[in-house]
Amino acid sequence: MAVSLREYRAKIKSTQSMKKITRAMELIAASRIIKAQQRAQAAEPYARELTRAVSAVATFSNVDHPLTRETTDAGRAAVLVVASDRGLAGAYASNAIKEAERLAEKLRAEGKEVVTYVSGRKAEAYYKFRNRPVAQAWTGFSDQPTYDVCKEIADTLIAQFLEDTTGVDEVHLVFTRFVSMLTQAPTALRLLPLEVVEGSEAPEEGEMLPLYEFEPSASDVLDALLPKYVTSRVYHAHLQAAASELAARQKAMKSATDNAEELIKKYTRIANQARQAGITQEISEIVGGVNALADATAGSE
């Protein structure tokens, strides 16, 4: 009885320690998610207006630009998977990777070779564990994305798209879109060739695109705008993913804290039952001893 009671007391103590850790992580995620949401919202107007400008140039000009040119016999497609550097965020990273796997399967069914790029250690570890090649990986900044790193990613993808011999014919982006504190949606979209995406950054249906005068020429304007457009899309996707990661971590840590509380109650109840059973057993032994002693005394008389 004593050993069992000590074991339950040790379990209660360790579970209480775990509860403190998960509660602290929940509060940290909750405090940081507001700033992450603000960063994502602050980047939206620029991304939206840049999309409108690129759409207008692509729509009202007849320029055959390399970044907008459709390839009928596309043979290779690059897929950038945006995941997280750290775990303890529920199914956040695995959901993004599953969406990337679905996209890759679809592209392979179309006869295309998939070239994988990853952002985040979780995605890098996933492909490394399965011995799948990764063209390039960027890690260490998933919770606080920086524009410089996102520009490096965008420049790498654009360079591969413009490469004639060993490059790719399409560039796709997979990330987790922040919908609300309770909902984060894995999303796949095509970056190149230019494809105006659905969402808050894209022009609304029926909305008139602004009329621009291209100076010095539409081709020069596209040369300047399209790389900025791709960088903006990559950066905004990382900001959305960062907010989604924190929301998923807060939710996961709250669930872990609640589960720890339930375990503490369970172990406390079992420990009390064991303690009461031990007390009952001790009382029974004392009463039995007293009775035996009384019987022995009576027999000697």
Side-chain angles (χ1 to χ4, degrees), residues 62-275:
N62 296 322
V63 176
D64 182 22
H65 196 277
L67 296 183
T68 62
R69 188 181 304 141
E70 291 282 352
T71 304
T72 56
D73 56 345
R76 305 183 79 213
V79 176
L80 172 64
V81 186
V82 180
S84 59
D85 288 312
R86 297 185 295 127
L88 299 177
Y92 165 76
S94 61
N95 285 340
I97 293 171
K98 287 178 183 177
E99 183 66 25
E101 291 287 78
R102 283 192 289 268
L103 175 60
E105 184 178 350
K106 176 185 174 184
L107 294 173
R108 293 189 183 98
E110 296 172 357
K112 300 171 185 174
E113 177 188 353
V114 177
V115 182
T116 304
Y117 294 83
V118 298
S119 175
R121 292 191 181 95
K122 286 295 179 180
E124 182 184 29
Y126 173 86
Y127 290 102
K128 183 178 181 180
F129 179 77
R130 288 160 179 78
N131 293 321
R132 298 184 185 178
V134 171
Q136 193 166 343
W138 294 268
T139 60
F141 72 108
S142 69
D143 53 348
Q144 292 183 337
T146 61
Y147 185 83
D148 291 340
V149 177
C150 291
K151 185 178 185 304
E152 178 187 339
I153 296 173
D155 290 344
T156 300
L157 296 175
I158 292 173
Q160 283 298 306
F161 183 78
L162 296 177
E163 177 66 36
D164 292 331
T165 55
T166 61
V168 297
D169 304 302
E170 294 178 358
V171 175
H172 297 262
L173 172 62
V174 178
F175 67 102
T176 304
R177 183 166 53 88
F178 181 85
V179 180
S180 67
M181 288 294 297
L182 298 177
T183 306
Q184 299 84 43
T187 304
L189 60 89
R190 194 184 79 179
L191 283 179
L192 296 172
L194 175 64
E195 182 178 63
V196 178
V197 299
E198 299 292 336
S200 58
E201 303 85 356
E204 296 179 1
E205 185 176 355
E207 180 183 2
M208 293 294 293
L209 290 173
L211 295 177
Y212 292 96
E213 292 185 2
F214 309 130
E215 188 69 35
S217 67
S219 178
D220 292 334
V221 171
L222 284 177
D223 284 340
L225 283 184
L226 282 173
K228 294 182 181 297
Y229 166 78
V230 175
T231 301
S232 171
R233 295 300 306 164
V234 172
Y235 181 52
H236 191 256
H238 277 81
L239 292 177
Q240 290 273 325
S244 299
E245 178 186 350
L246 289 171
R249 180 167 292 114
Q250 181 190 9
K251 183 179 178 181
M253 291 300 99
K254 185 180 186 307
S255 178
T257 303
D258 293 342
N259 290 339
E261 182 65 31
E262 291 298 320
L263 278 176
I264 291 171
K265 292 179 180 178
K266 176 183 175 182
Y267 290 148
T268 301
R269 184 173 62 251
I270 296 175
N272 289 337
Q273 292 172 351
R275 183 171 60 85

